[in-house]
Amino acid sequence: MFRAPERLKDEYDVVIIGGGGHGLAAAYYLAKNHGITDVAVLEKAYLGGGGTGRNTAIIRSNYLTSEGVRFYNRSVELFRDLSRELDFNLFYSERGHFTLAHSTSSLNTMRWRAEVNKHLGVDSKIVGREFIQQSIPEMDLDCGGHQAPVYGALFHPPGAIARHDAVAWGYARGADRSGAEIHQQTTVTDIEVREGEVAGVHTDKGFIKTKKVLSAVAGWTTYVTKMVGLRTPLVIHPLQAFVTEPLKPWLNHIVVSASLHLYVSQSSRGELVAGASLDPQELISMRSSLDFAESLCGHLADMFPMVGSTNILRQWAGLCDMTPDFSPIMGKTSIKGFYIDAGWGTWGFKATPVSGETMAATVATDQQHELIVPFALDRFRRFQLVGEKGAASVGH
Amino acid sequence: MKIINCPINGPRPAQEFHYGGQFREMPDPDAVSDDQWADYIFNRNGEPGIKREWWYHLPSGTWFVAERDNCSDRFLRTYLYKQESSP
């Protein structure tokens, strides 16, 4: 599907660390939008093996801040046409996305979100219990009496799911065809910075000279920022998810309940894909835990009693690089030629196309792309945070 | 079951504990620059390694300091604040 170059060249115009969706998309848009093709994507393991392949594949733009809504909505626009553009089936499937409210205060936050969304042209509204029950007859809106009942929901019809591996592979093929080199099994061991400017990258396969490095490693960002001595607010927490055995199609929508720490959708293969909230303590490990599976099963069965006897097929964890304001950290840094695409916490997959597009523009022009100006790393120094309460895993 | 050693109550199940964030010394707000203050407020050491952290034992209301490896989740040592040398 794409070439596997035998050896690294001595020099590239741009080196991208991380062969996940974001890094590969950046390589693709560097070629497509800016004509920059002398690019190496370095991946220490295999393509899409990090956050790209470990999320629950949900795509939506019903965020709370105007900065977030504009950004994620551009991503939805790109996603909708992406299978055609990449000539690769991403199984992009619009399902409609319910965020359930189990309290009046959470319903109030949703009203606020709906108004921001509508103002910015995003299809989003508050719906009542009858609407939810009609859409999803299998749901017990009273949660078996074990949890607070569902009062209403924020409904976002364009909410979609996609095959996440295919997004990485599609961008990889596109980048490869336009001339970028993808090097898997290649680990970056250090970054050479001379007088505040990037000079090159040390790898386990030798030194590469370059003036521009894009770090697109999400959950591994603290390893890379350590190499260049950059301080960030990032801390890493695992987020766990599981899939059940395949069932006949019955759940068309995507259902999220922040109070129950639950989000669930049914994949095109029939599996229920379900995730929870972050593990509470900082941990750079992709281990799974029984605690997680137990509590998620309980909540899933409270909401959908019919899945009580369904088996879990697979359980895994991904690393989330969390920021204090639940917005990403993107663009230029205090080191010339070092660009950062991080802080992807629990919202990275849906941003894959737009982060690729905006980071490619930022790297190509050395100017922060307009959509990501609010997400620059120095916002913390300026106390200008972008408090994104619409992010997954944020309690309302 | 994962066990954490509470400095007051001894070994207890992990479910009885709550993570309280990284242990950090607050600089004197009047003596530091705005940049240094912002660095203290927002920036963290998210690198892999052994970290000093605040932990809380819920049933007894005990705040204490733990030294924990943030890659293996192993607790190396726990002690009460400013009583590092006590057993």
Side-chain angles (χ1 to χ4, degrees):
Chain A
M1 202 157 82
F2 29 82
R3 297 165 298 157
E6 268 188 27
R7 59 173 58 114
L8 290 163
K9 293 195 293 180
D10 296 336
E11 187 173 354
Y12 294 92
D13 286 345
V14 179
V15 170
I16 297 172
I17 310 175
H22 285 223
L24 294 162
Y28 172 80
Y29 290 112
L30 272 172
K32 184 191 171 213
N33 296 347
H34 307 282
I36 297 172
T37 57
D38 187 24
V39 175
V41 180
L42 310 181
E43 167 54 50
K44 72 171 179 175
Y46 60 95
L47 296 188
T52 302
R54 292 169 184 276
N55 56 71
T56 46
I58 297 169
I59 297 154
R60 63 182 175 90
S61 62
N62 59 346
Y63 277 72
L64 179 68
T65 63
S66 55
E67 295 90 339
V69 174
R70 279 197 198 96
F71 178 76
Y72 293 103
N73 206 39
R74 174 63 184 154
S75 215
V76 170
E77 268 175 44
L78 289 166
F79 255 124
R80 280 181 161 163
D81 195 38
L82 203 56
S83 291
R84 191 200 56 76
E85 180 177 338
L86 298 173
D87 189 23
F88 199 79
N89 191 354
L90 307 178
F91 290 84
Y92 186 78
S93 167
E94 292 196 354
R95 300 295 191 85
H97 181 285
F98 285 101
T99 314
L100 304 176
H102 298 258
S103 69
T104 46
S105 72
S106 104
L107 208 52
N108 285 343
T109 312
M110 286 176 195
R111 282 187 205 286
W112 178 10
R113 270 169 79 179
E115 292 311 314
V116 172
N117 294 165
K118 280 184 242 176
H119 181 68
L120 295 165
V122 171
D123 191 0
S124 177
K125 61 182 175 193
I126 298 288
V127 294
R129 280 171 65 97
E130 301 73 26
F131 184 94
I132 304 168
Q133 192 73 79
Q134 258 175 13
S135 308
I136 313 172
E138 294 82 359
M139 187 192 291
D140 177 0
L141 276 82
D142 297 318
C143 305
H146 302 134
Q147 311 284 343
V150 175
Y151 285 30
L154 181 67
F155 182 51
H156 178 46
I161 53 174
R163 176 88 198 274
H164 48 203
D165 311 293
V167 174
W169 299 333
Y171 274 124
R173 192 176 67 169
D176 175 73
R177 282 184 177 171
S178 57
E181 288 182 8
I182 299 166
H183 293 267
Q184 301 186 60
Q185 306 290 322
T186 306
T187 306
V188 171
T189 53
D190 203 2
I191 298 169
E192 190 88 14
V193 178
R194 288 182 204 140
E195 290 164 12
E197 290 184 33
V198 166
V201 171
H202 293 277
T203 77
D204 57 353
K205 294 178 180 167
F207 179 72
I208 310 168
K209 211 173 132 184
T210 186
K211 288 194 162 129
K212 289 183 173 182
V213 169
L214 166 59
S215 170
V217 298
W220 287 264
T221 300
T222 55
Y223 288 81
V224 175
T225 48
K226 188 181 182 183
M227 295 175 192
V228 293
L230 201 62
R231 283 181 58 77
T232 73
L234 296 173
V235 285
I236 316 299
H237 290 253
L239 185 104
Q240 303 189 51
F242 68 53
V243 294
T244 66
E245 60 188 324
L247 305 169
K248 285 182 183 174
W250 62 272
L251 180 61
N252 184 51
H253 297 85
I254 303 158
V255 179
V256 176
S257 165
S259 308
L260 266 64
H261 306 294
L262 167 72
Y263 35 95
V264 60
S265 66
Q266 190 172 21
S267 77
S268 48
R269 282 188 294 223
E271 303 155 336
L272 292 180
V273 183
S277 53
L278 294 171
D279 282 17
Q281 72 261 37
E282 198 187 314
L283 184 62
I284 311 181
S285 163
M286 292 185 284
R287 60 102 179 91
S288 297
S289 71
L290 182 62
D291 282 2
F292 155 79
E294 208 174 13
S295 101
L296 187 55
C297 286
H299 290 149
L300 195 58
D302 282 342
M303 187 157 284
F304 299 108
M306 58 170 282
V307 304
S309 57
T310 308
N311 295 307
I312 296 174
L313 200 63
R314 220 172 38 252
Q315 182 186 345
W316 69 91
L319 297 183
C320 299
D321 44 337
M322 300 301 294
T323 55
D325 57 357
F326 303 95
S327 288
I329 295 174
M330 299 181 74
K332 297 174 68 170
T333 64
S334 54
I335 299 155
K336 192 168 162 46
F338 183 76
Y339 304 90
I340 191 165
D341 176 50
W344 285 113
T346 62
W347 44 89
F349 172 68
K350 63 178 71 63
T352 305
V354 71
S355 83
E357 186 185 54
T358 54
M359 287 309 301
T362 304
V363 170
T365 61
D366 199 36
Q367 293 288 322
Q368 193 88 354
H369 185 282
E370 173 242 335
L371 274 180
I372 62 170
V373 168
F375 304 137
L377 175 59
D378 71 353
R379 72 174 180 273
F380 300 103
R381 193 176 56 79
R382 291 182 276 110
F383 288 84
Q384 286 182 350
L385 276 62
V386 187
E388 189 48 89
K389 278 169 134 189
S393 88
V394 183
H396 303 289
Chain B
M1 185 187 292
K2 195 171 175 66
I3 304 288
I4 298 173
N5 189 40
C6 171
I8 299 283
N9 301 287
R12 305 291 307 171
Q15 283 80 356
E16 292 185 4
F17 294 85
H18 188 82
Y19 172 63
Q22 293 179 2
F23 178 94
R24 301 173 309 129
E25 297 285 355
M26 186 177 85
D28 176 0
D30 297 324
V32 293
S33 67
D34 288 354
D35 281 3
Q36 285 167 321
W37 185 247
D39 180 73
Y40 164 71
I41 294 290
F42 296 115
N43 288 338
R44 297 290 181 274
N45 174 3
E47 293 163 10
I50 292 160
K51 300 295 177 62
R52 276 206 294 168
E53 300 170 332
W54 284 108
W55 282 78
Y56 183 64
H57 182 239
L58 284 103
S60 65
T62 311
W63 278 106
F64 61 94
V65 180
E67 288 177 12
R68 187 177 66 98
D69 183 330
N70 73 350
C71 291
S72 67
D73 206 19
R74 280 210 179 85
F75 285 76
L76 284 87
R77 209 149 80 98
T78 55
Y79 48 84
L80 294 175
Y81 177 56
K82 290 192 168 165
Q83 296 182 30
E84 202 170 335
S85 50
S86 66

